[in-house]
């Protein structure tokens, strides 16, 4: 009887230890996307990141974080050597086979799943809960909501403007109405001319663009290992944006990441689009 009692006590102690370990605030985090790194820094948890992926370059301190992989996959030997107690993965950006392998190795994994601009504050609050930095996370989330609502209110009910977002020049690609980037255009009160495309990031032809008659062409400054061939839009003066020289450049690092900084990119883009709107308004 005593033996059974002692065994039960030991099981209860072990269970309590495991539960405590599970609730322990993570101190060695691996962040598997640039936006996760940015958001951790924004709530004050940046110093806990011990490993990340290619292109995680903001803030400047993030450039010093060891790299353990990128778009093509993870380097598990490097990752394991960092002895992480938590991995934060990007649900739609990391290879599922890599994540399953991490789980099989017993490494705790949680996901960043933001697909909507209005989910960014929820992501921040989630990170705050994980890291024990709820107060800092709430401040950032509240500020994001305030800034978001301010931009939406400013451009609500403005005159419509037909816009082509040139996601990539070669091959020529754009975005449809189900994407994160489309949402940023909607905030600015403009129409994405390829909103009804059947795929999220369709490859298109110059003829497709000409047929849509966009009034503005938005060109993101995207970094790449090799400079892609640019589109010489001046050869197509029948496109209103070309005829009126209405091109705007935007910061892809700001607009294409699910981070707090994206509203800085949206504000910049909306301001430039509004300048084009004003230009056309004066010509009527």
């Amino acid at each position: 009887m005593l033996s059974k009692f002692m065994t039960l006590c030991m099981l209860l102690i072990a269970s309590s230890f495991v539960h405590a370990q599970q609730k322990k605030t993570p101190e060695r985090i691996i962040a598997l996307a640039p936006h996760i790194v940015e958001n951790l820094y924004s709530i004050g948890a940046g110093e806990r990141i011990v490993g990340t992926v290619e292109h995680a370059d903001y803030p400047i301190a993030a450039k010093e974080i060891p790299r353990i992989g990128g778009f093509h996959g993870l380097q598990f030997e490097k990752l394991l050597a960092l002895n992480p107690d938590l991995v934060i993965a990007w649900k739609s950006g990391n290879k599922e086979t890599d994540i399953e392998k991490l789980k099989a190795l017993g490494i705790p994994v949680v996901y960043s799943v933001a697909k909507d601009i209005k989910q960014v504050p929820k992501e921040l609050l989630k990170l705050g809960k994980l890291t024990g930095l709820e107060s800092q996370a709430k401040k950032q989330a509240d500020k994001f909501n305030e800034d978001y609502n301010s931009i939406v209110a400013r451009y609500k009910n403005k005159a419509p403007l037909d816009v082509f977002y040139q996601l990539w020049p070669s091959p020529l690609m754009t975005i449809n109405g189900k994407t994160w980037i489309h949402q940023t255009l909607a905030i600015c009160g403009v129409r994405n001319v390829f909103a009804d495309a059947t795929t999220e990031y369709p490859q298109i032809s110059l003829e497709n663009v000409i047929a849509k008659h966009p009034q503005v062409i938005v060109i993101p400054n995207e970094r790449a290992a090799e400079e892609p061939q640019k589109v010489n839009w001046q050869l197509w003066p029948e496109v209103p944006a070309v005829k009126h020289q209405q091109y705007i450049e935007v910061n892809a690092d700001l607009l294409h990441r699910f981070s707090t900084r994206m509203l800085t990119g949206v504000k910049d883009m909306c301001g430039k689009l509004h300048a084009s709107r004003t230009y056309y308004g004066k010509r009527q």
Side-chain angles (χ1 to χ4, degrees), residues 97-201:
T97 52
D98 284 347
I99 304 307
E100 291 304 318
K101 187 173 181 179
L102 287 173
K103 292 177 180 178
L105 290 168
I107 301 173
V109 177
V110 297
Y111 286 106
S112 167
V113 294
K115 292 183 179 180
D116 186 288
I117 292 172
K118 289 180 282 188
Q119 288 180 331
V120 171
K122 293 180 182 178
E123 290 274 303
L124 293 169
L125 294 174
K126 179 180 179 180
L127 292 175
K129 187 174 182 180
L130 284 169
T131 58
L133 297 169
E134 290 96 336
S135 177
Q136 295 93 318
K138 187 177 185 304
K139 287 180 182 178
Q140 291 296 322
D142 289 347
K143 184 178 186 306
F144 188 97
N145 281 324
E146 181 181 346
D147 291 346
Y148 171 83
N149 291 332
S150 174
I151 298 171
V152 170
R154 181 173 182 180
Y155 295 103
K156 186 178 181 181
N157 299 324
K158 295 295 183 183
L161 197 64
D162 291 333
V163 173
F164 166 55
Y165 194 96
Q166 180 187 288
L167 182 64
W168 196 250
S170 183
L172 191 58
M173 297 179 69
T174 189
I175 51 144
N176 78 356
K178 296 181 180 180
T179 60
W180 164 278
I181 304 169
H182 172 87
Q183 294 175 41
T184 66
L185 291 173
I187 291 173
C188 300
V190 301
R191 292 188 295 232
N192 169 14
V193 296
F194 285 98
D196 59 353
T198 55
T199 58
E200 291 189 352
Y201 303 102

Side-chain angles (χ1 to χ4, degrees), residues 34 37-38 41 46 49-67 223 253 257 261:
V37 171
E38 289 195 26
Y41 270 100
I49 307 172
V50 296
T52 189
V53 291
E54 299 166 356
H55 306 305
D57 56 5
Y58 189 88
I60 293 176
K63 295 181 179 181
E64 304 301 319
I65 301 171
R67 310 287 135 157
R223 290 175 300 165
D253 281 350
R257 292 184 184 181
R261 288 196 306 151

Side-chain angles (χ1 to χ4, degrees), residues 195-211:
D196 59 353
T198 55
T199 58
E200 291 189 352
Y201 303 102
Q203 184 174 327
I204 56 175
S205 67
L206 285 167
E207 289 73 20
N208 294 144
V209 179
I210 293 168

Side-chain angles (χ1 to χ4, degrees), residues 201-250:
Y201 303 102
Q203 184 174 327
I204 56 175
S205 67
L206 285 167
E207 289 73 20
N208 294 144
V209 179
I210 293 168
K212 293 291 186 177
H213 306 291
Q215 294 170 283
V216 182
I217 296 175
V218 179
I219 304 173
N221 291 321
E222 189 77 68
R223 290 175 300 165
E226 295 183 11
E227 186 72 19
Q229 183 178 351
K230 294 183 178 180
V231 179
N232 185 3
W233 288 109
Q234 299 307 313
L235 298 175
W236 310 98
E238 59 267 49
V239 176
V242 178
K243 179 181 178 181
H244 297 282
Q245 297 297 292
Q246 294 299 306
Y247 313 97
I248 69 169
E249 292 189 355
V250 294

